[in-house]
Amino acid sequence: MSGNIELLNTTLAATRAADRAALIAYLPAGFPTVDGGIEAVKAVIAGGADIVEIGLPHSDPVLDGPVIQTADDIALRGGVRIADVMRTVREAHEATGVPILVMTYWNPIDRYGVERFTAELAEAGGAGCILPDLPVQESALWREHADKHGLATVFVVAPSSQDARLATITAAGSGFVYAASLMGVTGTRASVGAQAQDLVGRTRATTDLPVCVGLGVSNAAQAAEVAGFADGVIVGSAFVKAMLDASDEAAGLAAVRSLAGELAEGVRKR
C-alpha cells in the first residue's frame, strides 16, 4: 500500500494557491494516553490545522525542550509503543482525511527495521517522516524504502546550515523542508527572530519544495509573522503546554482546538 505523500503535496499546493501558509500541528503519540492523543489530533484538525506531525516519544529527545520532554515521559511511562504511533496515524487520518506525518529520531526506526517501519506507516495512511537527527549522507536506505512506499522524507535545516549544505539537504528531501527558526530546542518564545526569515530565503534558493518554519511559534501574532515569509507554520510546544496545563482531558481538548483556531486565523493574516 502506498503512503500519502501526494496528499501532503496537494495540501501544501492548495494553501499556497490560497495565498496563505499551512498550519502544521505537532502532538506526541500516547499523550496523555493513546486514546487521548488521538482525540487531541482530531481536536487540532477541527480547530484548523492543515497537517499534523505525530511525535514518536523518545527517552533522549535532543531537539525537544522541557514541555515536549514532559509529554514524552508521560507517554513512555504509559507504555506507548510504535504500534500505538501507527494506530494514532491511522485513526487520525481515517477520521479527518488530513495528511499525517511522524516526527521521530532515527534510533527507534533503526531498531524496528526500516522496511517494517515504512511499510506499516504507509499502510496506516501516513504521509511521511520528519527525521531531525538522520544525516543526509546516511539516509540512502531510508529514502529508498520511503520512496517505495510513497512517503515523504522531511529533513531539518538550521540557521547554522551553510548554503552548500542546504543544497545537499534539500536535494535529498521531499514533501517540505523543516526550517528550525533558531539554534536550540523546541519551546515557546517571545519572538521568532529574523534568523528564520533569512534561513527561509537561503533555503528557497536551493529548492522548489515548500519551506515550513518551526520552533518558537506559540500565538496568532507569531503565526502571522512567520506566515509572511514561510510556506508553513509549525507549532508543537504550545499545543502540548495547553494539554499539560488543562485541568482534565476534556479541558485539554477544548484548549488545543481553541489554540488551533487562533493560529489558523493567524496564518491567514500573513
Side-chain angles (χ1 to χ4, degrees), residues 26-34 55-59 61 64-80 236-237 239-245:
Y26 166 94
L27 286 165
F31 168 73
T33 62
V34 176
L56 195 162
H58 194 274
S59 57
D64 295 308
V67 171
I68 292 176
Q69 286 183 25
T70 298
D72 276 7
D73 185 60
I74 291 169
L76 291 167
R77 287 176 184 272
V80 70
S237 293
F239 285 119
V240 176
K241 187 175 187 300
M243 295 283 289
L244 286 169
D245 290 347

Side-chain angles (χ1 to χ4, degrees), residues 196-216:
Q197 187 166 1
D198 174 70
L199 176 59
V200 169
R202 292 193 298 117
T203 304
R204 279 187 174 148
T206 72
T207 184
D208 291 328
L209 288 173
V211 183
C212 304
V213 171
L215 275 67

Side-chain angles (χ1 to χ4, degrees), residues 35-243:
D35 288 341
I38 292 168
E39 293 307 311
V41 176
K42 294 177 186 177
V44 296
I45 293 169
D50 300 291
I51 297 164
V52 175
E53 303 171 7
I54 302 298
L56 195 162
H58 194 274
S59 57
D60 185 24
V62 293
L63 185 69
D64 295 308
V67 171
I68 292 176
Q69 286 183 25
T70 298
D72 276 7
D73 185 60
I74 291 169
L76 291 167
R77 287 176 184 272
V80 70
R81 296 289 183 266
I82 288 178
D84 300 312
V85 177
M86 299 299 179
R87 179 186 156 210
T88 300
V89 172
R90 177 182 292 104
E91 294 192 15
H93 175 65
E94 287 178 351
T96 66
V98 164
I100 311 287
L101 299 101
V102 169
M103 185 166 186
T104 178
Y105 298 97
W106 179 246
N107 180 258
I109 294 177
D110 191 39
R111 291 175 63 88
Y112 198 71
V114 176
E115 169 60 22
R116 180 184 178 193
F117 190 95
T118 51
E120 290 184 7
L121 182 56
E123 191 276 330
C129 260
I130 301 160
L131 301 160
D133 67 341
L134 177 63
V136 171
Q137 62 269 26
E138 298 175 19
S139 68
L141 178 65
W142 164 266
R143 288 187 285 124
E144 174 190 343
H145 288 288
D147 290 348
K148 180 172 76 172
H149 290 291
L151 299 169
T153 298
V154 179
F155 289 113
V156 178
V157 298
S160 61
S161 302
Q162 299 298 311
D163 291 351
R165 178 67 177 163
L166 288 175
T168 299
I169 293 170
T170 59
S174 56
F176 63 90
V177 182
Y178 187 125
S181 65
L182 40 76
M183 301 302 294
V185 297
T186 58
T188 62
R189 289 175 172 82
S191 64
V192 178
Q195 288 186 102
Q197 187 166 1
D198 174 70
L199 176 59
V200 169
R202 292 193 298 117
T203 304
R204 279 187 174 148
T206 72
T207 184
D208 291 328
L209 288 173
V211 183
C212 304
V213 171
L215 275 67
V217 177
S218 61
N219 58 51
Q222 291 173 334
E225 176 191 356
V226 173
F229 58 81
D231 298 296
V233 179
I234 303 168
V235 181
S237 293
F239 285 119
V240 176
K241 187 175 187 300
M243 295 283 289

